[in-house]
Amino acid sequence: MITKIFKRLLIGSSFIICHLLFSVALTSCSDFFDPSTDDEFDASKGYTSNTEMYTGFLGILTKVQAVGDKEILLTETRGELIEPSDNSLTDLINLYRYEPNLNNNAYANPDGYYEVIIACNDYIRAMEKYRSYPNVDDEAWQSLVASAVRVKVWAYKTLAEIYGQAVWFDDPVTAVTEISGDSRFQLLQLPELVDKCLNYLITGVDGVNTSRTINWYEWLDPTHTTSLANSQYRKWNYMVPAYAGLFAELNLWKGAVMDAAGQDATTYYQNAADTLLIALGGQINVTADPGSNVYWLPSAATPGHYSPIWNNTIPYPYETVSAIIYDYTQNQTNTLLKHFSNEYPNQYLLRPSEAGIARFLDPNFNPGSSTNDTRYKCCFGTSSNQPYLAKFRPVGSSARVNAYQDDCHIFFYRATQYHMMLCEALNHLRRFKAMNAVLNTGVKAGSTDDCFQPGSAEWKGFESTIDPTKSDWTGTANWGTRRYPSMGIRGCFGTLVARPTKSSIYELGDATATYKFNDLALLDEAMLEFAGEGKVYPMMNRMAVRYGDAAIVADRVCQKYTDTSLASTVRSRIMEGGYWVPFDLKVK
């Protein structure tokens, strides 16, 4: 693949490339996108061609690949589902036990995220110099800068939701150690980080719209020698965190911070809802495949396509928004199978807890559940009498024939996550019918649940940003009959029934109590939908911040501890604020 890519680079450039200023060697496929690279881009040299501008960005992506599995391993070990196996490591056990000092813990160390930030800062600095060159392709320049900004924001958002704090810096730094003890850098807490991230997304760099994207397929294969559906470059378009996902999630975090302070956060929840509805509508109403269109919509097609969301070498387009992509054949790997699989040579360091597995089959927690539940069957397996998390590679996988092929992709965002975030925003906008439709029943035409249709009470407030003629999620779309209409996050799995939610602030006699009841219903659903993906723990933390209630985390996490003494200890540590990962950067 590397030969074909750089053949295209050389043909497309008007320069003879003597030296590419990026951290990817040209000598072999094993070096390209190698996430273990320690090379650093020298921003002081700058770029001299459009080709270098493109290839320089790949250096950022190698850093993202290297840290891709970190959030999963770190937060799932502390979360509600996963526990150490009998083969586990001391560092993982200490995470599981919520030890208060994790400064020497390799899994807790945030350096990988800061290396991503350093790479983004270096790239943006070099790009600012290059923009004055007469040969610069300014359209591509803007899109690449916007992509770098989003990667940087994603890294900071991830630090904020795991650690509750981070050091923000825009200055060039060559190593993470430089930010420790340096008076130039200030340790920011969660509220300040959320504001920084939102402001950076809004203002960008040199006025660049940070929602811009690069179509790598168009750049790497401009003559379209293969169709997009069959092109190896299609997956490249997934590699940068999506603007809508970042912006919506940060607005939810901002709303939580303001709720905690007793301030009106309506604007931020409206921002999140509008952004997500526009993004979802743009995919749901694609007309290129009107006979079987199931894009980004939980539908009757979902159960049959649930496992390929993870167990597939190419990201499943009906669910993938953006993802970190790996390719075992090109020496691009992560360590998820190493940790979760018990097939040789994997190490089976982590396993699903008994309580976590039982939750899927508990009709009180998961109404209508059974052993035939698609999500249950996808998540868990048993091999050699050992339970394992099967989501990323079931035993006997045809996509990954060998157990050591650690190239499963890791989602920045997937479509169902957009639906879940939309539910959270709608809840705080008091759009309870709309929330219930997206979560449980699906958006249906000609009924009281027809909440996204023009003229309905639930529609009010969306007219300004959503085109009513192209917002139909139902069976009758503006372009004809939709074979797979909306059925809801739960409703698409036929054996499940609706999760109870509140439809009026009067049911509990208090608006905040109503919001909390529904938020916790969404959180409980997330524990099933996003099991093992590193997405539940950040959501739990957001709920704890919003309601000032650490018990939201403790009540769910502590169920997995069979040792009652340890369960009590962990609960005490969480209730003292220990749901943030404790790691001291020793910044002045």
Side-chain angles (χ1 to χ4, degrees), residues 424-492:
E424 187 176 338
L426 291 171
N427 179 40
H428 289 272
L429 293 170
R430 300 192 184 187
R431 305 293 167 82
F432 302 128
K433 285 185 180 179
M435 178 202 68
N436 186 64
V438 177
L439 174 64
N440 282 317
T441 61
V443 179
K444 300 174 183 178
S447 73
T448 56
D449 292 326
D450 193 14
C451 53
F452 287 176
Q453 299 307 298
S456 70
E458 291 295 317
W459 182 264
K460 186 178 181 182
F462 296 145
E463 300 99 336
S464 61
T465 52
I466 310 300
D467 182 350
T469 66
K470 296 182 179 180
S471 61
D472 192 355
W473 298 12
T474 67
T476 304
N478 66 300
W479 42 261
T481 301
R482 185 190 302 283
R483 182 183 299 178
Y484 296 107
S486 163
M487 294 184 69
I489 295 171
R490 286 185 62 81
C492 69

Side-chain angles (χ1 to χ4, degrees), residues 291-310:
S292 60
N293 184 289
V294 292
Y295 274 95
W296 289 15
L297 191 66
S299 70
T302 299
H305 297 86
Y306 199 70
S307 180
I309 294 173
W310 302 273

Side-chain angles (χ1 to χ4, degrees), residues 353-572:
S353 64
E354 290 183 6
I357 296 173
R359 193 177 286 125
F360 278 72
L361 300 177
D362 180 355
N364 294 316
F365 187 88
N366 187 19
S369 61
S370 71
T371 54
N372 290 324
D373 179 23
T374 299
R375 295 185 295 188
Y376 170 77
K377 292 191 294 183
C378 174
C379 283
F380 307 116
T382 303
S383 181
S384 301
N385 294 318
Q386 294 175 316
Y388 70 97
L389 185 67
K391 206 168 201 176
F392 302 111
R393 181 189 178 271
V395 170
S397 166
S398 59
R400 297 180 178 85
V401 178
N402 300 306
Y404 53 81
Q405 291 177 225
D406 278 340
D407 62 354
C408 35
H409 42 269
I410 297 170
F411 287 100
F412 291 119
Y413 294 101
R414 60 185 181 94
T416 304
Q417 190 179 359
Y418 273 25
H419 286 258
M420 189 69 76
M421 290 194 294
L422 177 59
C423 286
E424 187 176 338
L426 291 171
N427 179 40
H428 289 272
L429 293 170
R430 300 192 184 187
R431 305 293 167 82
F432 302 128
K433 285 185 180 179
M435 178 202 68
N436 186 64
V438 177
L439 174 64
N440 282 317
T441 61
V443 179
K444 300 174 183 178
S447 73
T448 56
D449 292 326
D450 193 14
C451 53
F452 287 176
Q453 299 307 298
S456 70
E458 291 295 317
W459 182 264
K460 186 178 181 182
F462 296 145
E463 300 99 336
S464 61
T465 52
I466 310 300
D467 182 350
T469 66
K470 296 182 179 180
S471 61
D472 192 355
W473 298 12
T474 67
T476 304
N478 66 300
W479 42 261
T481 301
R482 185 190 302 283
R483 182 183 299 178
Y484 296 107
S486 163
M487 294 184 69
I489 295 171
R490 286 185 62 81
C492 69
F493 301 105
T495 62
L496 301 181
V497 297
R499 181 176 294 280
T501 61
K502 299 301 180 183
S503 59
S504 168
I505 61 171
Y506 301 109
E507 291 186 54
L508 297 177
D510 178 75
T512 300
T514 304
Y515 299 147
K516 186 174 183 179
F517 184 96
N518 289 341
D519 269 347
L520 297 189
L522 297 175
L523 177 57
D524 288 346
E525 188 61 29
M527 290 162 62
L528 305 175
E529 177 64 33
F530 305 114
E533 297 181 48
K535 299 185 182 303
V536 175
Y537 196 78
M539 188 175 178
M540 282 197 291
N541 285 352
R542 184 161 67 248
M543 300 302 180
V545 168
R546 176 177 288 137
Y547 298 106
D549 185 3
I552 291 172
V553 180
D555 289 347
R556 288 158 178 78
V557 168
C558 291
Q559 292 178 27
K560 71 181 182 181
Y561 298 94
T562 56
D563 183 321
T564 55
S565 176
L566 178 57
S568 177
T569 298
V570 170
R571 172 173 285 277
S572 295

Side-chain angles (χ1 to χ4, degrees), residues 28-34 330-331:
S28 70
C29 289
S30 64
D31 291 326
F32 183 70
F33 259 4
D34 184 351
Q330 303 298 331
N331 196 33

Side-chain angles (χ1 to χ4, degrees), residues 223-270:
T223 59
H224 299 177
T225 55
T226 60
S227 67
L228 178 61
N230 297 317
S231 174
Q232 63 176 316
Y233 304 129
R234 177 176 186 166
K235 62 184 180 182
W236 286 50
N237 287 341
Y238 297 130
M239 296 187 301
V240 177
Y243 172 87
L246 282 174
F247 187 68
E249 193 170 15
L250 285 167
N251 273 278
L252 292 178
W253 272 106
K254 179 64 175 178
V257 168
M258 294 184 70
D259 286 340
Q263 300 170 334
D264 182 7
T266 301
T267 297
Y268 295 96
Y269 292 123
Q270 191 71 58

